[in-house]
Amino acid sequence: MSGTKEEDRKGSSEWREFFWNPRTHELMGRTASSWGLILLFYLVFYLCLAGMFVLTMYIMLLTLDDYKPTWQDRLATPGMMIRPKGNQLEISFSVSNTESWDGFIHNLNTFLSPYNDSYQVQTNDNCPPDQYFIQEDSGEVRNNPKRSCQFNRTMLEDCSGMSDRFYGYSRGQPCILIKLNRVIGMLPGKDGQSPYVTCGAKREDSDKIGPLAYFPPNGTFNLMYYPYYGKKAQVNYTQPLVAVKFLNASLNTDINVECKINSNTLATGSERDKFAGRVSFKLRIDDK
């Protein structure tokens, strides 16, 4: 028993001596000068790492442009989106139940408010159609902010919400707005030919979709709205829209619709994204 106590005292003494040795003035086996050298080494080491990181970030930032991305790794053909926003690209409503389409009307009104003619006249230019609105910089002198062309709400005619504030939903003739995603510097047409949108039903629903009306006429994205120079350089840019009005779609059934862009410079679909340049959605119009 006594041997065990002596061993415990000896072990405790060795532990205390390792932590602080009063004879050699060592803390955890090292003198003050040894600890000082270690701390100095790691201080210099981490300062060098921090300096290398700051230098690398500085050099990288020198290569960036505030107005145009240095590297653009995007699809050659941009994607498309629709408005109003439905649940997972599904527009479903009942003509007789106003609550089923009130949200769509509110969504369209909010989305189209920047397109009001009065606002467009104040902020944007009345550009000549069917030609690009090129605004190049002069060497190192930037031509900013760049101007933008007017896209007036009234250009959507029956789908503008002006003559019919319910956008056709109260009569079972809904309007769907289509926009092409923005890509800086994209030129979507040549030889004065603007890209245009066409919509149709999937094969199994081809007899359900009925006739369509496009606004602006022919469903074109006019060339004057391109190229896009970026949000910072072109602060008042108004994205062009195409409205599709379903005039006599079948009721009480699902209709799978696909709209795509037609252009002599943009290809629909790609190996990376088969939905590039097109958008698919489901339309259902109930009469009760």
Side-chain angles (χ1 to χ4, degrees):
M1 181 68 70
S2 59
T4 303
K5 290 183 178 180
E6 289 180 2
E7 290 177 357
D8 291 342
R9 285 195 297 269
K10 184 179 180 180
S12 177
S13 175
E14 290 178 352
W15 184 88
R16 287 196 301 269
E17 189 171 310
F18 168 76
F19 185 78
W20 170 250
N21 191 327
R23 290 181 292 101
T24 59
H25 297 88
E26 292 180 349
L27 177 66
M28 300 181 69
R30 293 185 179 276
T31 61
S33 60
S34 178
W35 279 114
L37 290 174
I38 290 177
L39 293 175
L40 179 62
F41 169 79
Y42 280 106
L43 176 64
V44 173
F45 176 71
Y46 285 114
L47 284 176
C48 288
L49 287 181
M52 291 176 62
F53 174 76
V54 171
L55 179 62
T56 303
M57 292 297 295
Y58 175 73
I59 294 174
M60 185 190 71
L61 291 174
L62 289 178
T63 67
L64 301 181
D65 192 312
D66 289 340
Y67 297 94
K68 183 179 179 180
T70 305
W71 309 104
Q72 268 184 288
D73 184 20
R74 286 189 134 186
L75 295 171
T77 303
M80 302 173 71
M81 284 300 297
I82 64 169
R83 292 293 186 277
K85 289 183 177 180
N87 182 24
Q88 297 182 348
L89 292 178
E90 181 174 344
I91 306 297
S92 178
F93 65 97
S94 172
V95 176
S96 59
N97 182 8
T98 58
E99 293 183 358
S100 67
W101 45 264
D102 273 344
F104 295 146
I105 305 307
H106 176 73
N107 185 284
L108 289 171
N109 285 333
T110 302
F111 179 73
L112 287 175
S113 59
Y115 292 86
N116 288 335
D117 291 25
S118 57
Y119 179 78
Q120 288 293 312
V121 168
Q122 293 175 3
T123 57
N124 292 333
D125 295 358
N126 187 14
C127 304
D130 303 325
Q131 63 185 44
Y132 290 124
F133 191 22
I134 304 294
Q135 303 172 77
E136 296 292 352
D137 298 327
S138 179
E140 296 297 324
V141 180
R142 294 190 180 276
N143 179 23
N144 292 329
K146 299 184 187 298
R147 295 170 294 152
S148 301
C149 297
Q150 296 178 19
F151 189 96
N152 296 313
R153 186 169 178 171
T154 50
M155 294 169 65
L156 299 176
E157 300 182 33
D158 291 352
C159 291
S160 65
M162 311 302 288
S163 58
D164 177 9
R165 64 190 183 97
F166 297 130
Y167 301 91
Y169 284 79
S170 62
R171 301 194 305 272
Q173 298 179 327
C175 289
I176 306 294
L177 305 184
I178 300 173
K179 65 186 185 77
L180 196 62
N181 292 342
R182 304 179 187 186
V183 176
I184 294 176
M186 181 184 70
L187 301 175
K190 63 181 180 180
D191 301 327
Q193 298 182 22
S194 299
Y196 62 95
V197 173
T198 54
C199 296
K202 298 292 182 66
R203 183 178 303 173
E204 64 273 13
D205 298 329
S206 58
D207 59 337
K208 302 176 184 177
I209 192 169
L212 306 175
Y214 296 92
F215 310 99
N218 302 319
T220 58
F221 293 113
N222 201 281
L223 295 180
M224 65 181 175
Y225 301 107
Y226 303 95
Y228 172 58
Y229 289 98
K231 187 175 182 180
K232 191 170 184 179
Q234 208 169 3
V235 293
N236 293 323
Y237 180 75
T238 303
Q239 200 165 358
L241 305 172
V242 167
V244 183
K245 188 178 183 68
F246 294 81
L247 300 177
N248 190 26
S250 297
L251 303 178
N252 307 312
T253 185
D254 292 340
I255 306 175
N256 293 292
V257 183
E258 181 178 86
C259 298
K260 64 179 182 178
I261 189 72
N262 299 271
S263 166
N264 53 15
T265 61
L266 302 177
T268 54
S270 71
E271 292 181 357
R272 295 175 59 186
D273 186 357
K274 64 180 180 179
F275 294 108
R278 65 182 69 198
V279 61
S280 298
F281 59 94
K282 183 182 292 184
L283 176 65
R284 183 182 180 91
I285 307 172
D286 294 327
D287 57 356
K288 294 182 180 180

